[in-house]
Amino acid sequence: MAFAAFGHGGGSASAAAPTKKSKVALFLLLPGLIYLGLFFMTPLISLIITSLEVPDGSGVMGSYAYGFAIENYAKVVTEFWPQISHSFGYALIATVGALFISYPLAYFIGVKARRFPLIQGLMLTLVIAPFFISFLLRTFAWKQIFSNESPAVHFLQQVGILGAHDYLVGTPFMVIFGLTYNFIPFMTLPLYSILERLDVRLLEASSDLYASPATTFRKVTLPLTAPGIISGTLLTFIPIAGDYVNASGDFLGGTKTAMIGNVVESRFLVLNDYPTASALSVLLMGVILLLVGFYAKRSGTEDLL
Amino acid sequence: MARLAQEFIARGADLELVGIRKEFPGFTAIENLDLHIPAGEFFALLGPSGCGKTTTLRLVAGLDEPTKGKILIGGKDVTATKPHQRPVNTVFQSYALFPHMSVLENVAFGLKQRKVEDPMTKASAALDLVELGHLAQRRPQQLSGGQQQRVALARALVNRPSLLLLDEPLGALDLKLRRQMQIELKAIQMEVGLTFLHVTHDQEEAMDMADTVAVMNKGRIEQMGSPEKLYDRPHTVFVSKFLGQSDLFVGEVVESNASSLSINVAGSKITVPKDRAEKHTGTIAVGVRPEKANFHESEPAPTSGVNLIGPGEIIDIRFTGVSNQYLIEIPGIGEITVFAQNVGKSPVTELGAKVWVSWKVEHSFGLADLPENSAAESLSEI
Ligand SMILES: Nc1ncnc2c1ncn2[C@@H]1O[C@H](COP(=O)(O)OP(=O)(O)OP(=O)(O)O)[C@@H](O)[C@H]1O
Ligand SMILES: [Mg+2]
């Protein structure tokens, strides 16, 4: 599974490096390298170049000339600071939320349901089932469920959780809810894949050595499943930070909840402001790379937990 | 929460199993087990693979719940207590060392949970005891099987639990190291007065180390007692063969007086003292240990107090160092084994020699059951 591969690349330090250099291996890598160069590096470089362009002075919307406008970056940071902070703030909250929901779920499927393969298979299918419906549709369905005139919102207004003129769609809460919901499977699957291999005899040994269930979880279960937590959080945090569907006004968001993705979308597709959109994209990528690199380095060593 | 565990430290506690039954879905692993191990005793549980030894230990440790019955440690009913609250430690058959901790951290784990002072120093000392001090910083995966086993031993021993459960703790060690660990174990047990429940396949180990040996078979304890008693006077066919070797003879009781009874085996009379026989009437099995039997090249005069059968033919001789093992085929009775000390003047060394076999009546023992293929009038086995 792609998740597992990701998990090892990102987290666990145990992957043994092959010691023999082989020309065959290099040769086999070639198609992948060419693919990466063509379809990943080229757009990236083009994006960086675009992010430094300046208006060409013709006044025509969308026409820019090559330049070296580093100030584009300073401009986007000051101008779009709220959206940048939304992106990373929402991503952080939604990732943590997904972790807290997914861990018990994955633990149940991978450990508790081990003796009942039927239940295990059924629950796994349920986790993956949402993928069979377009996630645009599913997100839209949530918008319907919590729309301003919906029974759900009426009910919340009635019991006083929402004020008489408060609604859910367009609030940060709704956006974070949608993000968490949409990315739970990406958290659950890597967690499941590691929990399924957890040796419960080690938990028994821990309890035999006077550790309470809580201590056993903290000292044994958690460290042993850390690689799953790391790959799960990376697999959710990165796409959430760049997401633009949930926060968009067409779905669960509103004007006050825009994330970087929404700005990039409108600059690219509506305002034809390519340098700004590109600068924001590059910035997003750079920050994510930095964060992830730092996180993976910390968690590669065992002092993370 | 660790208080219960704390109370017992530094003193052995007695263990009592009352009417224990353990069912797995579709399989009864333990039928009805009653067991009392006095405090400070070295108790060995011996039995063939799959007879329920590990299951018994898991019940005592609290890792499984009995279907029926009670478990008392130090007089307290712990049947409903969680494993971490029991003053028990286990050396697991599968070692179960924590792969994310160093060897030293593994050993210190229990001490840290109980907030014992200076856990690292104590753990180091325990590692030195099992001669692994130099590998303290390694991960368990980087050790050999025997080294891992010794870490598992140190990890349990270092806690000085009032009841230590050992599930074949020395199985992966070579003979020399095993002897050495046996001596260490025994010394620790005596010094602190801990109660040991030791599961093993190795009957010599069980007889050598234990105060009491219990032989378990198919989820039941067949017989229990001091090693000497168990060896001298097995009660069942299973015990007579699982613990050492036995020559068994099956026959109808034909004579009986106040002190002894005799069976008829293919025309020969074999006598056993009544107080050494489990059954006194009908068809019974009588046995003797191969080293208690002698053979003679000429027919000895019948003597009272001696069982005599023969003549037969020596069909196999094995030299095992300290003794020679003779396999003798006696017409109508079958093959029987006789051990003779290898003292340089072995009575007979040729195959095919015609011999008579005798042993003292007081060395016979009468069993409660019959060998499975008792269709053969008698048989001898490994
Ligand atoms: N979880 C389980 N479910 C079903 N049957 C089990 C389970 N655990 C053990 N058994 C069965 O119970 C019996 C006793 O098992 P146990 O592990 O106690 O054997 P043992 O005496 O320790 O054997 P060994 O000497 O090979 O370790 C075996 O027949 C085993 O197949
Ligand atoms: Mg076992």
Side-chain angles (χ1 to χ4, degrees), chain A residues 9 43 64-65 103 105 156-157 166 242-244 248 257 263 300-301:
Chain A
Y64 294 90
Y103 201 99
L105 183 64
L156 290 177
Q157 285 171 338
D166 291 338
D243 185 81
Y244 71 96
S248 110
T257 63
V263 179
T301 67

Side-chain angles (χ1 to χ4, degrees), chain A:
Chain A
M1 206 182 286
F3 306 114
F6 194 79
H8 289 298
S12 67
S14 61
T19 43
K20 274 191 204 154
K21 280 183 190 155
S22 152
K23 290 203 172 95
V24 181
L26 230 67
F27 186 73
L28 288 173
L29 263 177
L30 218 57
L33 289 176
I34 292 173
Y35 179 90
L36 264 182
L38 225 57
F39 298 108
F40 179 73
M41 288 314 285
T42 315
L44 181 64
I45 291 165
S46 139
L47 194 70
I48 292 172
I49 292 170
T50 311
S51 73
L52 298 170
E53 283 178 350
V54 290
D56 66 355
S58 68
V60 180
M61 204 170 132
S63 48
Y64 294 90
Y66 289 121
F68 197 72
I70 289 283
E71 65 271 16
N72 282 352
Y73 284 87
K75 205 182 78 195
V76 296
V77 172
T78 45
E79 191 176 346
F80 299 112
W81 178 245
Q83 287 84 347
I84 294 172
S85 64
H86 287 166
S87 266
F88 291 108
Y90 294 175
L92 187 71
I93 299 171
T95 303
V96 172
L99 178 64
F100 274 91
I101 294 168
S102 294
Y103 201 99
L105 183 64
Y107 191 89
F108 183 85
I109 305 174
V111 180
K112 294 286 173 196
R114 236 178 243 185
R115 278 175 297 149
F116 316 102
L118 202 71
I119 293 179
Q120 208 175 20
L122 192 74
M123 293 196 67
L124 266 184
T125 313
L126 286 178
V127 170
I128 305 168
F131 286 134
F132 295 134
I133 304 166
S134 155
F135 102 104
L136 291 179
L137 279 182
R138 282 184 281 119
T139 313
F140 202 73
W142 280 119
K143 181 177 177 148
Q144 298 292 313
I145 292 169
F146 290 115
S147 67
N148 293 355
E149 300 308 321
S150 68
V153 169
H154 275 301
F155 174 76
L156 290 177
Q157 285 171 338
Q158 225 111 69
V159 296
I161 292 177
L162 284 179
H165 300 289
D166 291 338
Y167 300 103
L168 279 175
V169 172
T171 61
F173 169 81
M174 201 62 218
V175 175
I176 292 169
F177 173 87
L179 290 167
T180 311
Y181 158 77
N182 273 313
F183 287 92
I184 276 179
F186 296 93
M187 182 68 94
T188 308
L189 290 178
L191 282 174
Y192 163 76
S193 91
I194 193 131
L195 277 161
E196 191 230 16
R197 283 177 282 135
L198 180 71
D199 186 353
V200 291
R201 289 178 301 185
L202 297 176
L203 311 185
E204 292 179 348
S206 168
S207 69
D208 189 65
L209 291 163
Y210 313 108
S212 64
T215 313
T216 298
F217 180 76
R218 205 159 42 80
K219 294 256 172 108
V220 183
T221 314
L222 215 50
L224 286 176
T225 53
I229 298 175
I230 291 159
S231 51
T233 44
L234 290 179
L235 273 170
T236 43
F237 184 85
I238 297 170
I240 290 179
D243 185 81
Y244 71 96
V245 172
N246 287 279
S248 110
D250 296 332
F251 290 90
L252 304 174
T255 44
K256 291 207 187 77
T257 63
M259 294 165 64
I260 297 178
N262 303 101
V263 179
V264 172
E265 185 212 10
S266 72
R267 293 283 140 170
F268 255 125
L269 303 178
V270 182
L271 301 174
N272 294 354
D273 182 1
Y274 305 128
T276 304
S278 305
L280 260 177
S281 302
V282 173
L283 190 77
L284 177 66
M285 197 180 81
V287 174
I288 288 180
L289 271 179
L290 259 163
L291 285 176
V292 166
F294 182 69
Y295 179 68
K297 192 154 190 291
R298 278 294 307 270
S299 49
T301 67
E302 64 227 7
D303 49 32
L304 177 73
L305 297 162

Side-chain angles (χ1 to χ4, degrees), chain B residues 53-54 93 167-168 199:
Chain B
K53 304 181 297 288
T54 298
Q93 196 169 11
D167 201 347
E168 297 184 33
V199 162

Side-chain angles (χ1 to χ4, degrees), chain B residues 93-304:
Chain B
Q93 196 169 11
S94 60
Y95 316 152
L97 301 176
F98 304 122
H100 60 293
M101 296 179 193
S102 71
V103 163
L104 185 66
E105 286 169 322
N106 261 281
V107 177
F109 190 90
L111 297 174
K112 281 189 191 161
Q113 296 316 312
R114 284 203 345 251
K115 311 234 177 332
V116 172
E117 263 176 56
D118 231 353
M120 288 309 179
T121 318
K122 290 194 170 94
S124 285
L127 275 176
D128 287 337
L129 194 72
V130 296
E131 306 205 328
L132 288 177
H134 58 297
L135 300 179
Q137 295 312 322
R138 286 225 194 140
R139 291 291 168 113
Q141 309 86 287
Q142 297 167 321
L143 301 184
S144 76
Q147 290 168 338
Q148 291 182 28
Q149 194 163 42
R150 280 181 281 158
V151 177
L153 196 58
R155 188 177 67 172
L157 263 181
V158 73
N159 299 298
R160 297 282 188 272
S162 36
L163 175 58
L164 186 66
L165 309 175
L166 304 110
D167 201 347
E168 297 184 33
L170 310 175
L173 306 183
D174 62 68
L175 199 62
K176 182 168 167 277
L177 202 53
R178 191 179 321 171
R179 287 273 166 267
Q180 193 181 329
M181 287 301 135
Q182 285 171 356
I183 293 166
E184 299 284 15
L185 270 182
K186 189 78 190 164
I188 292 170
Q189 189 251 340
M190 304 270 268
E191 165 209 333
V192 198
L194 305 176
T195 312
F196 276 31
L197 175 47
H198 182 116
V199 162
T200 173
H201 274 139
D202 181 346
Q203 39 161 303
E204 254 180 65
E205 183 176 297
M207 305 237 263
D208 177 31
M209 299 175 77
D211 304 312
T212 306
V213 175
V215 179
M216 198 169 182
N217 186 26
K218 293 186 189 142
R220 286 180 306 114
I221 287 188
E222 289 244 352
Q223 195 180 345
M224 192 170 115
S226 70
E228 301 81 13
K229 194 87 192 295
L230 228 58
Y231 186 79
D232 180 52
R233 175 101 163 71
H235 288 178
T236 63
V237 173
F238 180 81
V239 175
S240 79
K241 290 190 171 158
F242 195 80
L243 220 61
Q245 301 182 23
S246 294
D247 291 319
L248 297 186
F249 308 92
V250 179
E252 193 82 30
V253 175
V254 288
E255 250 181 67
S256 181
N257 61 33
S259 64
S260 68
L261 55 89
S262 303
I263 60 168
N264 175 15
V265 184
S268 305
K269 205 176 77 176
I270 294 175
T271 307
V272 56
K274 264 195 171 154
D275 57 0
R276 288 176 60 84
E278 289 297 292
K279 248 174 81 184
H280 294 172
T281 53
T283 306
I284 64 169
V286 173
V288 66
R289 296 291 186 186
E291 72 276 9
K292 304 265 165 59
N294 303 302
F295 55 81
H296 317 268
E297 283 173 277
S298 55
E299 183 168 6
T303 323
S304 73

